[in-house]
Amino acid sequence: MVDRVSLSITLGGDLSAALRDDLLAIVQSEGLALDYDAEPFTADDFPADGPLSLYAHEVAWGRVDRLEGFCVAHGLPFARWSGGSAAQFGPERAVFTGAGEASLYAADEDDEVVISMDRAERLGSYEAIMAYFTAANFCVPPLRFVA
């Protein structure tokens, strides 16, 4: 039996208009919508002037690997929150800024990033702790389709 949890993901950045239908197909295949328990996502649901925020319940392992892989391959920044599954895995936030690799952060069920005493000690200073929280709270830019 697969552990299934709730998930939200916000993505943005500049994407070639030629890839719009590919993004649409992936969002639909992942079962994401504009709100939890909302109607399935359609092409009309793309935002005109902001990031795209998507939601779903009952997501296997709290992952949308196809969508995240697409975002990484095309340099689309995103922030994902996934709930935890008792005794299996905790809630987390994944942040991809548009380059490099996604960073994972421990979170709570309200999508607040948390750190352990061990992490705080390893970070070593108040400034480093605040930088950690700043990175985890990355502001996703608007999604734009460009020619």
Side-chain angles (χ1 to χ4, degrees):
M1 186 81 171
V2 173
D3 292 303
R4 296 179 178 276
V5 297
S6 296
L7 168 143
S8 65
I9 186 167
T10 301
L11 57 106
D14 294 341
L15 181 66
S16 167
L19 295 172
R20 186 175 190 264
D21 288 342
D22 293 345
L23 177 57
L24 174 63
I26 292 169
V27 167
Q28 290 173 332
S29 74
E30 298 277 20
L32 300 168
L34 291 179
D35 204 349
Y36 294 109
D37 303 318
E39 296 296 316
F41 189 84
T42 69
D44 294 335
D45 294 328
F46 282 115
D49 60 355
L52 175 59
S53 295
L54 300 163
Y55 305 85
H57 287 302
E58 301 295 319
V59 178
W61 300 291
R63 303 285 306 260
V64 284
D65 291 335
R66 285 190 63 213
L67 179 57
E68 289 183 23
F70 180 88
C71 289
V72 170
H74 297 287
L76 296 178
F78 68 82
R80 172 189 40 87
W81 168 83
S82 301
S85 179
Q88 299 300 316
F89 53 87
E92 72 177 6
R93 182 180 301 165
V95 173
F96 177 68
T97 62
E101 296 182 13
S103 298
L104 299 177
Y105 301 89
D108 65 14
E109 290 293 340
D110 293 321
D111 191 20
E112 292 291 329
V113 172
V114 297
I115 62 172
S116 65
M117 183 181 292
D118 179 62
R119 164 104 36 210
E121 288 172 348
R122 282 187 283 136
L123 289 169
S125 70
Y126 175 79
E127 290 78 18
I129 291 169
M130 295 311 294
Y132 180 86
F133 281 114
T134 298
N137 290 309
F138 172 72
C139 184
V140 178
L143 176 64
R144 298 184 318 161
F145 295 103
V146 295

